[in-house]
Structure formats: C-alpha cells, structure tokens
Amino acid sequence: MRLRVEFTTEPFDLDEPPPHAVAAREVVQGAGLDAVDVGPFGNTVEGGADAVLTALDALLRASLRSGATRVSLQVNVVPGAAEGGGG
C-alpha cells in the first residue's frame, strides 16, 4: 500500500520557519520517502505505508518537542499505485 500525506505544523511564522517546521522538514527529508514537497503553507510526502507511518511518528514527536501547538494531517491511500519506499 502507498500513502500520500499532507501536513502542516502550527503556529505559523511568515518571516522565517519556526523550529517545529524545521524539525518536521528534516524528518521527512531524511526518511527515504519516494516524494517530499515542503512549502510555507503545506507539505506533502508519499511512499510505502511502512516508511510513511514511521516518518509520521518521528515527525509528530519532533514537531511537538520543538514547539508545535498543532499538527494537521491528511492521509490518503494512493489507489492503483505500485508499492515502493519501504512499505
């Protein structure tokens, strides 16, 4: 199974990325996922279910530890996609 996740961390800071956003970005960029797109208002990652779920656990822990007061997630199964990225 392949998963696509969209996530945001809050509170927002438009002047510079807050520590919780940097922590989340570092987790997903280092997780070996198939696709990672980070931006100022939302982030998307995709990969095999095991890899994505492992990365989400690390992302939540790192973001909350770094000052996030809210983390919003949307998890979707990618229909008909070939398995990849450890899952």
Side-chain angles (χ1 to χ4, degrees), residues 1-2 34 47-52 83-87:
M1 176 186 317
R2 290 184 55 77
D34 298 336
D50 287 344
V52 169
E83 175 95 19

Side-chain angles (χ1 to χ4, degrees), residues 8-40:
T8 58
T9 63
E10 297 178 40
F12 295 113
D13 182 342
L14 296 179
D15 294 327
E16 64 182 70
H20 58 80
V22 172
R25 180 177 62 214
E26 289 174 352
V27 166
V28 296
Q29 288 177 332
L33 301 172
D34 298 336
V36 175
D37 182 23
V38 295

